[in-house]
Amino acid sequence: MRRVLEYTENNLIYMIVLLGVMILAAVFWNLYRKEKRAAKRAREELKGGEKFYSSFGSNQKTAYVFVSEKGRKVLYVTPNLELITGIRPEDLKTDTELMTGLIVRREARIIGRNLETWDKEEEFSSEVNYHRNGEKELHRGKITIIYCKEESGYLLILSDITEEYEHRREMEQKLLAAQKESQSKTDFLSQMSHEIRTPMNGILGMLSLLKAHLNQPAAAEEYLKKTENLSHFLLTLINDILDMSRIESGKVQLEEVPFSLEQLAEKLDSMFRSTAEAKGIHWKIEMQDFDVKYVIGDEMRLSQVIINFISNANKFTPPGGTVQVLFRQMDRIGNDLHFMIRVSDTGKGIKEDFLSKIFRPFEQEDASTAHNYGGSGLGMAIADSMVRLMNGQILVESEEGKGTEFSVYLSLPVSETQDEKETPIQNVTEEDPAMLRAIEAFTLKGIRILLAEDNDINAEIAMEILAMEGAILTRACDGEEVVQMFKESQSYSFDVILMDIQMPKLDGWEATKVIRRMNREDIDIPILAMSANAFVEDRRKSQESGMNGHISKPVDYDEVRRIIGEQLWAVRSH
Ligand code: ADP
């Protein structure tokens, strides 16, 4: 029995120990499982974070920073932060204020204020100007802040958009310039339309009056005279408008040919002295301090500018006043000659408030200017654009009632010689007294003219007017026909060819070249362009094709007579 009891006692102790071990094992197992679960959760969380951060990506221009909601701690920074901001990621982790310090202070304050009222629903975004850490140069940046509720933090996206910004600004400026240009073109066009309609209205009105007064010769003549004046005015206006729009559209190409400023002064003198003196104006033209013979530039365009100043000076100066033109050499630096051409007058002067507007198209001092002096207000705008194209400058000084002074400052390369290339045909009469006398006495009586003209109305007018003077005319209707007719004619059966340029089959320039290459004695017959191609470039082409002169349409028949006279005098005197 005692053994039985001993056995039972031992078993009980065993059981209790076993139970204790089991309980302990269960406790430790539970603890272990708990630990494992926590570790797993922690691992998963870490994995989720990495996934979140790795979604930020990375490139040369955009950096990402993740900041915790609580404590505003920097939890993650992409390594390219330094490339964009100049701040090392590890420095930002210890000092979050570093970034705010880069932004231009005023902008940083505005962003700060805006963030105070940010509702976090939408992303916050702002462009800023910032300096890279320690650098002076300004960069353009973009900051975007996204509130990430699930991750309990803020994602900051920082981009350097300097290049895009500059490109955008360039485009904006281009757009603005284009809009401005388009507006000024519209203004120019509507003003131009008004300016053209005014004389056109006058012409048509005068023609109606003329028709109604055909049986009253004195009145009819008066209406005709007015129609003629208005037509001339209209022509000048159209020429100026075309000049202006060609300059504006960059179609004017300046010549670079040696020319003599002294000869230019002489030409201006012969052009204006007699008209100024006839009006009772004291006319002076002077060259001061010049030791340079030739400069390289566009003589014709420069003279166009000066001619405009002189015409105005003559126009706005009353009899008894003085108009003076001064050419002065200022300096010679290297091969460049700096000089000034000044046109001064003692005329009516210009009001101070108009001086600032004087170079704007269609501007005249007041409504009475056009009424009393004519003109359209385009001359100054053309002169200004032309001089600017030559990299020069115009200065104006004027006092009302006392007079005006226009000074053109230019710098042109010096040339030692005047090379072979001539300036385009200008139809300017050289002052040879024998020739002037001969031309004065010249008539078209008996002159045999071959006229190449495809337009019937123009041909009819030319033939009737020239025939009225006694010329003998033969007409060709296109370029091929004029070549054929000349070829089939006996040598020297024509004295001159008047050649339209734009004609079917063969243009006037080509027809001239063909004639100049023919195998016959009279291939140097004077050929004169008579064309609506009226630009300097057209005159140049006429000269290059071998023509002797260029008459622009609408044709001035006095000019035709004079040029034919000059040409025949030249042929006959050699
Ligand atoms: P236009 O002479 O055809 O009117 P411009 O452009 O040449 O056009 O001149 C514009 C205006 O400038 C003139 O209408 C006139 O009011 C003023 N002006 C130009 N030159 C002179 C001058 N020498 N004296 C007084 N006014 C002038």
Side-chain angles (χ1 to χ4, degrees):
M1 182 64 198
R2 217 183 112 218
R3 281 190 74 184
V4 168
L5 269 177
E6 251 175 32
Y7 177 77
T8 313
E9 201 173 290
N10 279 347
N11 260 358
L12 201 65
I13 290 168
Y14 249 146
M15 291 279 285
I16 288 169
V17 168
L18 195 65
L19 200 68
V21 168
M22 278 173 72
I23 288 170
L24 268 178
V27 168
F28 280 123
W29 175 245
N30 251 349
L31 273 175
Y32 169 74
R33 291 242 339 241
K34 231 183 187 169
E35 195 81 337
K36 214 172 161 188
R37 267 204 306 272
K40 193 177 169 202
R41 217 174 26 243
R43 261 204 316 276
E44 272 171 1
E45 262 173 22
L46 189 67
K47 253 194 195 158
E50 275 169 3
K51 204 168 155 201
F52 175 60
Y53 297 144
S54 69
S55 68
F56 298 162
S58 136
N59 62 36
Q60 299 270 310
K61 302 279 179 200
T62 306
Y64 298 84
V65 178
F66 190 73
V67 181
S68 67
E69 189 174 7
K70 274 196 203 124
R72 302 281 194 268
K73 277 211 168 80
V74 173
L75 298 182
Y76 181 78
V77 188
T78 51
N80 61 354
L81 180 82
E82 190 169 357
L83 197 74
I84 293 159
T85 61
I87 300 173
R88 294 187 314 168
E90 54 271 33
D91 293 342
L92 185 72
K93 281 185 179 164
T94 53
D95 183 359
T96 45
E97 285 305 305
L98 273 177
M99 218 136 69
T100 330
L102 302 185
I103 300 170
V104 170
R105 208 173 293 159
R106 194 177 54 87
E107 294 178 10
R109 270 203 304 272
I110 295 173
I111 291 180
R113 268 204 305 275
N114 291 344
L115 279 175
E116 280 168 21
T117 53
W118 178 42
D119 65 3
K120 299 184 189 175
E121 293 290 322
E122 302 278 324
E123 63 179 39
F124 175 91
S125 189
S126 177
E127 282 194 15
V128 288
N129 288 301
Y130 75 97
H131 300 274
R132 284 180 87 252
N133 202 14
E135 289 177 10
K136 267 193 148 181
E137 192 193 340
L138 259 190
H139 283 249
R140 185 76 176 176
K142 185 177 175 188
I143 297 180
T144 305
I145 306 175
I146 302 168
Y147 175 55
C148 310
K149 199 172 177 185
E150 278 183 27
E151 287 79 13
S152 309
Y154 300 94
L155 175 64
L156 272 67
I157 305 171
L158 313 162
S159 310
D160 182 346
I161 56 163
T162 310
E163 263 174 45
E164 296 94 299
Y165 177 68
E166 270 161 16
H167 180 67
R168 198 172 70 203
R169 269 186 39 157
E170 205 180 301
M171 298 312 275
E172 279 167 3
Q173 271 162 6
K174 276 190 183 155
L175 182 71
L176 215 70
Q179 280 167 341
K180 230 167 132 182
E181 199 185 311
S182 146
Q183 184 55 42
S184 70
K185 279 206 173 117
T186 315
D187 292 349
F188 185 79
L189 215 69
S190 70
Q191 217 158 1
M192 181 181 98
S193 154
H194 171 264
E195 296 297 319
I196 291 178
R197 277 167 193 276
T198 309
M200 205 60 227
N201 179 52
I203 291 170
L204 293 173
M206 285 295 150
L207 286 176
S208 316
L209 285 169
L210 174 68
K211 223 159 93 185
H213 292 83
L214 279 177
N215 51 358
Q216 297 170 35
E221 199 176 328
E222 191 57 33
Y223 296 136
L224 261 179
K225 223 163 102 192
K226 286 184 178 157
T227 310
E228 202 176 10
N229 288 342
L230 282 165
S231 308
H232 282 298
F233 173 75
L234 186 63
L235 176 63
T236 316
L237 179 67
I238 289 173
N239 283 338
D240 282 351
I241 288 172
L242 290 178
D243 247 0
M244 190 71 214
S245 57
R246 276 165 57 80
I247 298 172
E248 297 277 298
S249 61
K251 283 208 179 115
V252 169
Q253 273 197 344
L254 294 175
E255 270 280 284
E256 287 180 4
V257 176
F259 69 96
S260 150
L261 285 164
E262 200 176 335
Q263 279 170 19
L264 174 61
E266 281 165 13
K267 278 183 208 164
L268 294 171
D269 190 34
S270 70
M271 214 180 265
F272 287 102
R273 180 176 292 280
S274 51
T275 39
E277 287 178 350
K279 195 182 164 186
I281 289 173
H282 304 289
W283 165 263
K284 285 186 213 159
I285 188 158
E286 196 186 341
M287 299 281 293
Q288 223 175 52
D289 307 327
F290 264 89
D291 60 14
V292 165
K293 239 180 142 33
Y294 303 110
V295 288
I296 301 173
D298 197 324
E299 180 186 4
M300 206 155 163
R301 296 234 153 81
L302 177 59
S303 59
Q304 184 186 348
V305 170
I306 308 300
I307 285 170
N308 190 53
F309 291 147
I310 302 177
S311 309
N312 278 340
N314 281 344
K315 190 159 78 172
F316 295 111
T317 304
T322 303
V323 170
Q324 188 171 13
V325 184
L326 175 70
F327 282 58
R328 184 189 289 156
Q329 179 169 329
M330 316 278 293
D331 204 354
R332 186 174 168 171
I333 301 172
N335 198 40
D336 285 338
L337 178 78
H338 299 270
F339 64 98
M340 177 203 77
I341 306 178
R342 174 173 293 160
V343 179
S344 38
D345 65 60
T346 58
K348 75 178 194 71
I350 300 168
K351 283 193 192 118
E352 207 180 325
D353 61 341
F354 181 64
L355 270 181
S356 56
K357 294 191 268 181
I358 196 162
F359 294 120
R360 289 194 206 150
F362 299 115
E363 288 284 352
Q364 290 187 313
E365 195 158 331
D366 49 53
S368 65
T369 311
H371 181 76
N372 296 329
Y373 302 95
S376 62
L378 273 177
M380 288 293 150
I382 294 173
D384 183 51
S385 309
M386 213 64 106
V387 170
R388 268 198 273 164
L389 212 63
M390 296 175 189
N391 293 322
Q393 203 189 1
I394 303 176
L395 293 185
V396 205
E397 279 183 51
S398 186
E399 201 178 325
E400 219 187 333
K402 291 251 167 82
T404 309
E405 199 171 84
F406 285 96
S407 310
V408 180
Y409 290 89
L410 278 177
S411 165
L412 293 177
V414 172
S415 167
E416 295 311 322
T417 53
Q418 186 161 31
D419 69 17
E420 293 302 295
K421 207 175 159 199
E422 284 173 20
T423 44
I425 329 173
Q426 291 188 37
N427 303 340
V428 172
T429 317
E430 295 294 331
E431 280 197 89
D432 177 335
M435 175 177 163
L436 287 180
R437 270 196 309 277
I439 292 166
E440 197 110 310
F442 178 78
T443 71
L444 292 174
K445 196 159 193 302
I447 302 295
R448 294 155 305 165
I449 300 174
L450 176 55
L451 172 76
E453 172 62 79
D454 62 318
N455 182 290
D456 289 340
I457 296 256
N458 285 344
E460 185 186 337
I461 296 170
M463 290 176 80
E464 285 207 16
I465 292 180
L466 296 170
M468 265 166 19
E469 280 214 28
I472 302 154
L473 281 118
T474 310
R475 179 190 173 193
C477 294
D478 59 56
E480 265 180 24
E481 200 175 30
V482 71
V483 167
Q484 198 58 27
M485 284 169 109
F486 186 72
K487 196 169 157 193
E488 287 167 5
S489 67
Q490 294 271 318
S491 282
Y492 298 108
S493 42
F494 294 111
D495 297 306
V496 63
I497 301 177
L498 294 180
M499 183 85 83
D500 185 17
I501 288 176
Q502 283 191 24
M503 286 186 291
K505 297 182 186 165
L506 202 62
D507 70 35
W509 291 318
E510 288 306 314
T512 304
K513 286 184 199 160
V514 177
I515 291 172
R516 296 292 188 225
R517 285 197 299 265
M518 282 180 184
N519 185 18
R520 52 189 277 161
E521 285 173 302
D522 57 347
I523 55 164
D524 58 352
I525 179 171
I527 303 179
L528 304 174
M530 202 158 89
S531 161
N533 296 37
F535 297 127
V536 178
E537 289 77 4
D538 300 315
R539 290 177 171 273
R540 213 162 271 147
K541 272 179 103 170
S542 297
Q543 185 180 37
E544 282 161 9
S545 72
M547 290 176 167
N548 303 74
H550 187 110
I551 299 156
S552 303
K553 284 177 185 166
V555 176
D556 170 353
Y557 285 93
D558 288 336
E559 191 192 3
V560 174
R561 187 194 314 105
R562 183 176 56 73
I563 296 172
I564 294 180
E566 271 173 33
Q567 290 301 322
L568 295 186
W569 185 85
V571 170
R572 286 166 191 172
S573 62
H574 286 115

